[in-house]
Amino acid sequence: MNILHGKVATVQSVDDFLSLSVLVGDKLFFVVALQSPALSYVAVGCKINLLFKETEVMLATTASKVSTQNAFVSKIKEVEIGELFANVVFDFEAEEISAFITKTSFEELSCSVGATFLWFIKANEITIQNGN
């Protein structure tokens, strides 16, 4: 599980949804969640953790265009290659982000330690956790 520590920058309530921007280091993440009493603590300035599965992180070349706001360029820190999948670990804002991709995609993208890639996560794939 990827966990990033951040601070809520903006909160918007629309219908049954909560839209947040969260500052992680100097990067903004965007999160969309269903409103619930469990998220009543969320307010501008509060510390929260952003959690998302390795299988939800996608990779692309740095020249690629994607439709998500959560797209960040980072260097590959380490890789672990299995028979079917590769675990690609990025260095991001003094944290590690892991992505599980197929071995075929890993090879087609020519991933390697030290290479710079775009990684991204959809706003609705992020879970919010109280950071206090």
Side-chain angles (χ1 to χ4, degrees):
M1 180 71 63
N2 291 300
I3 301 173
L4 293 174
H5 310 285
K7 185 183 279 189
V8 176
T10 65
V11 178
Q12 184 178 10
S13 177
V14 179
D15 297 324
D16 292 333
F17 295 96
L18 199 57
S19 176
L20 309 172
S21 63
V22 180
L23 197 58
V24 176
D26 66 351
K27 306 287 192 267
L28 271 180
F29 270 75
F30 298 91
V31 181
V32 175
L34 286 173
Q35 287 197 42
S36 75
L39 296 178
S40 62
Y41 68 91
V42 175
V44 172
C46 79
K47 292 180 181 179
I48 64 171
N49 297 326
L50 305 178
L51 292 78
F52 48 96
K53 296 185 289 186
E54 295 88 343
T55 55
E56 299 297 339
V57 178
M58 295 164 274
L59 277 62
T61 62
T62 57
S64 299
K65 301 281 186 203
V66 294
S67 64
T68 183
Q69 292 175 302
N70 295 322
F72 304 97
V73 175
S74 299
K75 283 190 177 184
I76 296 176
K77 182 177 179 177
E78 63 184 75
V79 296
E80 184 179 328
I81 304 167
E83 288 186 45
L84 296 176
F85 295 97
N87 180 28
V88 180
V89 180
F90 289 97
D91 185 17
F92 177 75
E93 298 292 315
E95 302 281 348
E96 290 184 350
I97 298 297
S98 293
F100 289 132
I101 62 173
T102 64
K103 183 178 176 183
T104 301
S105 293
F106 176 86
E107 291 168 348
E108 288 175 356
L109 288 169
S110 300
C111 294
S112 62
V113 172
T116 302
F117 275 84
L118 180 70
W119 66 269
F120 50 100
I121 182 81
K122 291 171 38 179
N124 63 319
E125 295 296 342
I126 299 173
T127 300
I128 302 165
Q129 179 186 53
N130 192 333
N132 292 327

